[in-house]
Amino acid sequence: MNKPLKRLMTAIALGWLSLVTAHPALAQATYPSKPVTLVNPLPAGGGVDIALRGLAKEMQPFMGRPVLVESRAGAGGTIAGQYVAQASPDGYVMGVFQSTQAIPEIYTAFQKPPYTSADIRPVVRYMTLVYAMPSRAGAEWKTLPELIEYAKKNPNKVRWGHTIGRGHPLHLLSYSLFKKYGIKVIEVPFKGAADAITSLLGGHIDVAFGISVTAIEGHVRAGKMSILAIHNPTRLASLPDVPTFAEQGADPGVVPVYNTIFVPKATPDAIVKRIHDAVKAALETPALKEYAAKNGFELYYGSEQDALAELTRDREVSSKLVEALLKE
Amino acid sequence: MDVLPYLLHGFEVALRPDNLLYCFLGVLGGTLVGVLPGLGPQSAIVLLLPGIVYLDPVSAIIMLAGVYYGSMYGGSTTSILVNIPGEAASVVTCIDGHQMALQGRAGPALGIAAFGSFIAGTFGIALLTVAGAPIAEFALRFGPPEYFSLMCLALIVLIHLTGTSLRRGLISACAGLFLGTIGMDLVTGQPRFTLSFTVLMDGVGLIPMIMGLYGVTEVLLNIERGIQRTVVQHKIGSLLPSRQDWRESAAPIARGTLLGSVLGMLPGAGVVLASFLSYAVERKLSRHPERFGKGAIAGVAGPESANNAAAQCGFIPLLTLGIPANVATTLLLAALVLLGIQPSPMLVQSHPDLFWGTIASMYVGNVMLLVLNLPLIGIWVQVLRVPYALLFPVILLFCMLGVYMINRNVIEIWIMLGFGVIGYIMKKTAYEFAPLVLAMVIAPIFENAFRQSLILSLGSLSTFVTRPISATLLACAALLLLVPLVPQLRTVLGRLKE
Amino acid sequence: MVPGGVAFAVVWSAIGLAVCAGATTYGLGSLGQPQPGLFPFVVGAGIVLLATSEAIACWRAHAPSTRLRLGEHGSAVIVALAILCLYALAFERLGFAVCTLLLFVALFRALAGRGWRFSVAAGLLATVVFYVAFEYGLKVNLPRGPWGF
């Protein structure tokens, strides 16, 4: 090998080494020095995706770098969860997780999850998606208590749609109602909310749970279905006549579907704080508030401590329900 | 309701210069993603979603709709030229379309696909204009038992799809049914046959499978034949279908259009199913069934018309009821929500500009697509002149990037390569894989509908024959199964008499 | 000698048996109360039956009809597959640009029989075109290598 080439090779090797072994502290000082990515565990075009795009846009000025949204859907979010859990802890890859990805060890009952909640760290909670329980038009009941009363008198008569597999938080909510009131219904599983909506419109099922309010608001206004209850602490501004579960004395006790930003466990505190501050600032902007109102999600700020408390509560409630479910 | 004034108003909206531009951009983009293997309308719409919030809602939907039905035009191009389906709906177009290209008849094949698509697409919109709402209301009566019976019918028709050997075709179909069961069980949530791979929880992806079976396999076979010598075709005949071609295609286009319109309205696997069924029907009805698989133009005209009619009719439930018919229309629904429009049966009344403007733009878009695609034929056939030794790396790269971009997961590339090897072995051992693809599409709908039906009927199998639509479909299936046996029955009866 | 068709049919039956075996672990249930395993079991049984009858038919026909033998350029197929596997392995580690350049150079050089100079030039050109098209045209953020592209 001739001399110049040898020198070139050495230079390349050194450059490579310095890049690979760059000290995290060095990276921290300039964070963020390149675009950051928010990983969406659910399919593009869904409710979470729409909400995230709004957040990313408003977050960008506070981060000073482009904020990208990336959908890595699959296996109910486990794929994205694993991706974030195993990403390098430098703050460039963040996951926006709900309970199934946040505490995979209790929700993936049949298959050992590839990571656990110990591998990731919550940064900030930013919104909840409001899920509704729609009922077919012209049903024998008008309210949730009436439905429960009807189901008690007529076991195995009410056709109850699930939009997601057994053991998912959205299914656990229905399940906890069945257990609490001792009712027996015909449980019909569907592959996603769209199929359940179609079946409701066609009158093939009576009620369903696990459909976001935005997906059915139009049908409700057109009188093709009604909403018996929403799973949210308060009523919605857009649907002031629709009561919550708790109002009707039928609080299922399940934690509402939160969306919290997670990073790999080993991410330094300074970076976590930087992301938290940017998200918090974005949540205060009028633009994001307007976007949220228009697209049917509730901005819902929570610090790392809030998020941790929520996780603990979720773990307590859901693990009991999952256990009971597995015994059946 | 008198439709005409509304439609005229729709044309006023659609013919506005800005909307014309968006419509053109949409159908152009659609044609491109249709042509690129692996990149489907879904990925294109996802790419455009963040940008559309800056547009007027009518323009945005006109453009996204254009991407969707435009991709159905483009999907046939690679099927015919290089035997790689651009979309799942163009899988059957490969069978005869590529044969035609090998015989120097790529021009007529592309031409008849474009004309068939235009006729079918326009018919589909006409149907949407005149009778959208009542049709959609009827489609809602399809509950789980009806879907089960429809899939039974499709499985019976599938038997007629198989070419040389019925037995091997059925083995391939069963393998497809098995592949369709991989993933999380709908009722219990149990993972089946996932071998602990997390990706397989959602089942085997259709696109990686098709790209593997068709794209990779085809390249491997050509490499084996000797890449330097592989030329697709030097001689390029006429660019447009001849009078004889038209005579042979007229009836298939008409039948494909009807079949596609009916299946397209049903939420589910309408588009893919329509093209496969159309192929099987044409083969069955043809006076020269032996020509199928060897470059019969009817085998291109029928399925291409069917998938366009189905794509166009997929807008009926979306626009009239606010429910999506497939993945691409689900994304359009998301786009509506993003634009602040509630999808619902009220769309016609609450947003007449959007409703009628979009419909009118589809007429315009279909004309644009025809005008756009006919001159493109001249360019596309030039692709056949590019030495294969330069073309194949590009084909491979597109296949790999296409499947990677679905979920940004390298495992999809591995799945595709796996199916490439499987396809190569199947091809070498004379097992066809078209039945496998259709069976895999049908399997989950078939099984889920069966189990949902039984849950709803509390375990009573009679639900399939007591519901009128379901019973009619099952009767058709039984009839189709028995018809081929009639001549044999006759001889048996004749012998008994003697 | 066993005819090729028989051997392939036997392989298919083995696959069918494996499917049946797998299906039974998920529980079969009955037709009125199907469990997750029922449908795959029926499908697996179908494969076994069809493949067995195919094997018998091939055996009777005595036709060594089809044989899985690599053609003239069979080794090239293995090389191509190896290159594709390496691409998939390196894709997220080295980034899109570098991998694609290597892919094109390898395919042109090893399979298309082009010279080094042509392979590298064509590879560079193609990589730049695709990088620009995907990164800027389609705004897809493809994987980057440790050197930022």
Side-chain angles (χ1 to χ4, degrees):
Chain A
M1 206 186 264
N2 57 14
K3 236 180 189 169
L5 194 60
K6 212 171 184 174
R7 254 182 231 151
L8 182 69
M9 294 300 249
T10 325
I12 291 173
L14 279 177
W16 159 263
L17 266 178
S18 63
L19 264 171
V20 174
T21 56
H23 198 266
L26 205 75
Q28 241 182 74
T30 55
Y31 176 84
S33 61
K34 58 179 189 186
V36 297
T37 309
L38 290 165
V39 177
N40 169 18
L42 301 174
V48 174
D49 186 42
I50 290 171
L52 260 184
R53 286 180 196 281
L55 175 73
K57 189 165 164 264
E58 300 309 326
M59 220 177 122
Q60 198 153 309
F62 300 105
M63 287 299 273
R65 294 279 163 184
V67 181
L68 310 169
V69 178
E70 198 176 285
S71 272
R72 283 184 185 256
T78 315
I79 299 221
Q82 186 181 5
Y83 176 73
V84 173
Q86 290 168 359
S88 65
D90 51 13
Y92 290 102
V93 174
M94 304 172 247
V96 182
F97 295 160
Q98 305 181 346
S99 29
T100 21
Q101 297 96 42
I103 335 173
E105 58 271 29
I106 63 166
Y107 287 109
T108 35
F110 286 109
Q111 206 158 5
K112 199 174 165 290
Y115 70 98
T116 68
S117 55
D119 299 325
I120 49 177
R121 167 179 182 181
V123 178
V124 55
R125 182 185 65 202
Y126 84 99
M127 68 133 178
T128 62
L129 275 175
V130 183
Y131 285 91
M133 179 180 285
S135 159
R136 128 185 105 78
E140 289 83 344
W141 47 84
K142 292 274 169 294
T143 61
L144 185 59
E146 278 176 40
L147 167 68
I148 291 168
E149 204 51 39
Y150 182 90
K152 268 187 190 159
K153 282 191 193 131
N154 303 283
N156 278 335
K157 189 94 187 286
V158 177
R159 297 164 299 173
W160 191 299
H162 295 302
T163 58
I164 205 150
R166 280 159 75 92
H168 187 277
L170 293 179
H171 168 261
L172 289 180
L173 182 137
S174 296
Y175 180 69
S176 71
L177 286 179
F178 303 154
K179 282 195 56 143
K180 187 169 172 183
Y181 296 103
I183 51 177
K184 277 220 171 317
V185 299
I186 304 175
E187 291 182 63
V188 194
F190 284 94
K191 213 172 182 170
D195 287 0
I197 294 176
T198 311
S199 266
L200 264 177
L201 287 173
H204 304 291
I205 54 171
D206 298 310
V207 288
F209 182 75
I211 301 176
S212 72
V213 170
T214 26
I216 50 172
E217 230 180 305
H219 297 294
V220 172
R221 288 189 204 287
K224 300 283 177 186
M225 53 175 79
S226 60
I227 300 181
L228 296 180
I230 53 166
H231 194 220
N232 202 40
T234 56
R235 291 192 180 203
L236 292 179
S238 57
L239 293 167
D241 300 333
V242 177
T244 65
F245 276 100
E247 261 181 63
Q248 307 180 70
D251 189 357
V254 178
V255 178
V257 178
Y258 49 83
N259 277 268
T260 301
I261 294 178
F262 282 82
V263 290
K265 188 76 177 180
T267 311
D269 288 334
I271 290 179
V272 169
K273 188 174 177 307
R274 182 85 178 74
I275 300 170
H276 167 273
D277 293 349
V279 172
K280 194 177 178 200
L283 289 176
E284 312 265 305
T285 58
L288 189 58
K289 282 181 184 156
E290 194 191 318
Y291 184 86
K294 206 171 118 187
N295 290 299
F297 61 94
E298 299 272 291
L299 296 180
Y300 185 47
Y301 165 78
S303 64
E304 183 175 354
Q305 280 66 42
D306 295 339
L308 280 171
E310 200 160 45
L311 286 183
T312 315
R313 206 150 53 85
D314 191 8
R315 191 195 306 270
E316 274 168 16
V317 176
S318 298
S319 57
K320 271 187 211 131
L321 284 170
V322 171
E323 231 169 77
L325 191 66
L326 283 177
K327 273 190 203 134
E328 273 183 11
Chain B
M1 185 169 68
D2 198 4
V3 168
L4 206 60
Y6 292 103
L7 190 61
L8 283 177
H9 174 67
F11 271 109
E12 262 169 48
V13 177
L15 292 175
R16 259 172 27 204
D18 57 330
N19 285 342
L20 270 180
L21 177 70
Y22 286 117
C23 184
F24 177 73
L25 289 178
V27 297
L28 181 70
T31 308
L32 286 180
V33 295
V35 170
L36 298 177
L39 263 183
Q42 288 91 313
S43 5
I45 295 173
V46 168
L47 283 175
L48 290 172
L49 273 184
I52 59 156
V53 284
Y54 303 105
L55 296 182
D56 172 45
V58 184
S59 311
I61 295 301
I62 284 178
M63 181 166 80
L64 293 183
V67 170
Y68 176 48
Y69 58 76
S71 70
M72 292 294 140
Y73 273 75
S76 57
T77 309
T78 42
S79 304
I80 292 168
L81 295 178
V82 282
N83 203 15
I84 300 168
E87 306 304 321
S90 302
V91 163
V92 279
T93 311
C94 287
I95 305 175
D96 281 286
H98 188 57
Q99 284 302 317
M100 286 182 72
L102 291 180
Q103 294 157 14
R105 290 177 21 85
L110 290 166
I112 210 74
F115 280 114
S117 300
F118 173 72
I119 295 166
T122 309
F123 181 82
I125 318 158
L127 209 62
L128 171 58
T129 319
V130 182
I135 289 173
E137 293 284 346
F138 176 75
L140 277 184
R141 289 167 57 186
F142 269 67
E146 284 74 23
Y147 274 101
F148 170 77
S149 305
L150 181 68
M151 292 306 132
C152 280
L153 184 61
L155 278 173
I156 304 290
V157 178
L158 184 127
I159 295 174
H160 298 296
L161 190 79
T162 56
T164 45
S165 158
L166 180 63
R167 245 193 320 260
R168 273 181 251 157
L170 286 178
I171 292 176
S172 164
C174 282
L177 288 176
F178 161 66
L179 289 172
T181 66
I182 293 177
M184 211 176 336
D185 177 64
L186 181 72
V187 178
T188 61
Q190 217 170 327
R192 292 187 294 186
F193 302 104
T194 57
L195 309 170
S196 300
F197 282 112
T198 328
V199 244
L200 292 180
M201 292 285 276
D202 295 325
V204 178
L206 188 60
I207 295 175
M209 183 181 81
I210 290 176
M211 290 303 127
L213 285 180
Y214 286 85
V216 178
T217 297
E218 178 74 13
V219 171
L220 290 181
L221 287 170
N222 280 327
I223 287 175
E224 187 183 351
R225 266 177 234 134
I227 207 111
Q228 277 107 317
R229 277 178 299 140
T230 309
V231 217
V232 184
Q233 182 64 34
H234 285 305
K235 182 186 73 186
I236 291 165
S238 74
L239 288 183
L240 289 175
S242 67
R243 193 170 289 187
Q244 173 67 20
D245 292 335
W246 272 108
R247 245 195 309 264
E248 283 174 32
S249 311
I253 289 178
R255 282 189 291 260
T257 304
L258 281 178
L259 196 66
S261 306
V262 173
L263 288 171
M265 290 175 281
L266 299 173
V271 183
V272 183
L273 205 59
S275 61
F276 273 93
L277 293 192
S278 165
Y279 187 81
V281 166
E282 291 318 320
R283 181 191 191 119
K284 204 71 209 156
L285 293 180
S286 170
R287 252 174 267 156
H288 304 282
E290 74 283 354
R291 277 201 219 150
F292 276 75
K294 300 195 185 82
I297 197 160
V300 177
E304 277 304 309
S305 310
N307 68 30
N308 269 275
Q312 218 48 274
C313 287
F315 284 99
I316 292 180
L318 177 75
L319 289 177
T320 57
L321 294 184
I323 51 178
N326 50 41
V327 185
T329 41
T330 308
L331 288 167
L332 278 169
L333 196 85
L336 280 173
V337 174
L338 254 179
L339 293 161
I341 292 163
Q342 306 289 339
S344 83
M346 304 283 278
L347 195 71
V348 193
Q349 283 100 23
S350 60
H351 298 277
D353 272 17
L354 182 92
F355 183 84
W356 293 105
T358 307
I359 288 182
S361 83
M362 290 177 184
Y363 286 102
V364 180
N366 265 282
V367 177
M368 281 182 183
L369 278 167
L370 189 65
V371 176
L372 188 73
N373 274 274
L374 289 183
L376 274 180
I377 294 174
I379 301 172
W380 291 134
V381 293
Q382 299 303 322
V383 172
L384 297 179
R385 285 189 204 272
V386 177
Y388 197 73
L390 297 183
L391 201 58
F392 84 97
V394 180
I395 294 176
L396 286 174
L397 184 71
F398 271 127
C399 289
M400 288 196 284
L401 289 184
V403 298
Y404 174 78
M405 282 191 304
I406 306 168
N407 282 325
R408 316 185 55 81
N409 200 332
V410 181
I411 299 178
E412 305 283 7
I413 299 184
W414 288 110
I415 293 175
M416 181 189 78
L417 292 178
F419 274 106
V421 175
I422 292 173
Y424 177 77
I425 295 172
M426 281 177 78
K427 206 85 200 217
K428 301 273 310 186
T429 57
Y431 283 82
E432 292 177 64
F433 38 66
L436 185 143
V437 176
L438 179 60
M440 196 183 109
V441 173
I442 289 178
I445 310 175
F446 181 80
E447 192 196 3
N448 291 344
F450 182 65
R451 295 176 69 187
Q452 285 169 338
S453 305
L454 287 173
I455 289 172
L456 282 166
S457 72
L458 299 172
S460 153
L461 287 164
S462 63
T463 180
F464 299 112
V465 286
T466 51
R467 296 169 61 116
I469 302 175
S470 166
T472 315
L473 289 166
L474 279 182
C476 291
L479 208 66
L480 267 179
L481 197 64
L482 292 178
V483 164
L485 299 177
V486 167
Q488 289 174 333
L489 251 140
R490 246 187 224 152
T491 49
V492 172
L493 282 176
R495 264 186 222 156
L496 279 176
K497 266 181 197 162
E498 280 167 23
Chain C
M1 204 189 115
V2 183
V6 177
F8 306 135
V10 169
V11 172
W12 276 109
S13 329
I15 294 173
L17 280 175
V19 171
C20 287
T24 47
T25 62
Y26 306 124
L28 298 182
S30 65
L31 202 55
Q33 302 270 305
Q35 291 291 306
L38 184 69
F39 184 68
F41 185 83
V42 172
V43 170
I47 297 178
V48 174
L49 281 179
L50 286 162
T52 313
S53 79
E54 168 78 10
I56 293 168
C58 286
W59 183 267
R60 279 212 191 130
H62 288 291
S65 51
T66 41
R67 236 178 250 182
L68 189 62
R69 191 191 279 163
L70 288 174
E72 196 188 336
H73 299 270
S75 54
V77 175
I78 309 289
V79 173
L81 274 173
I83 293 174
L84 293 177
C85 288
L86 285 176
Y87 185 80
L89 270 179
F91 191 55
E92 284 199 327
R93 295 192 177 85
L94 302 183
F96 165 79
V98 174
C99 285
T100 305
L101 176 64
L102 293 177
L103 173 80
F104 273 94
V105 173
L107 288 178
F108 280 135
R109 182 80 195 91
L111 295 173
R114 300 292 176 137
W116 276 113
R117 206 174 295 170
F118 174 88
S119 301
V120 173
L124 267 175
L125 180 72
T127 307
V128 169
V129 168
F130 286 116
Y131 189 81
V132 170
F134 280 98
E135 196 75 23
Y136 301 103
L138 293 172
K139 298 251 189 296
V140 182
N141 41 326
L142 289 159
R144 288 152 195 278
W147 32 75
F149 59 83

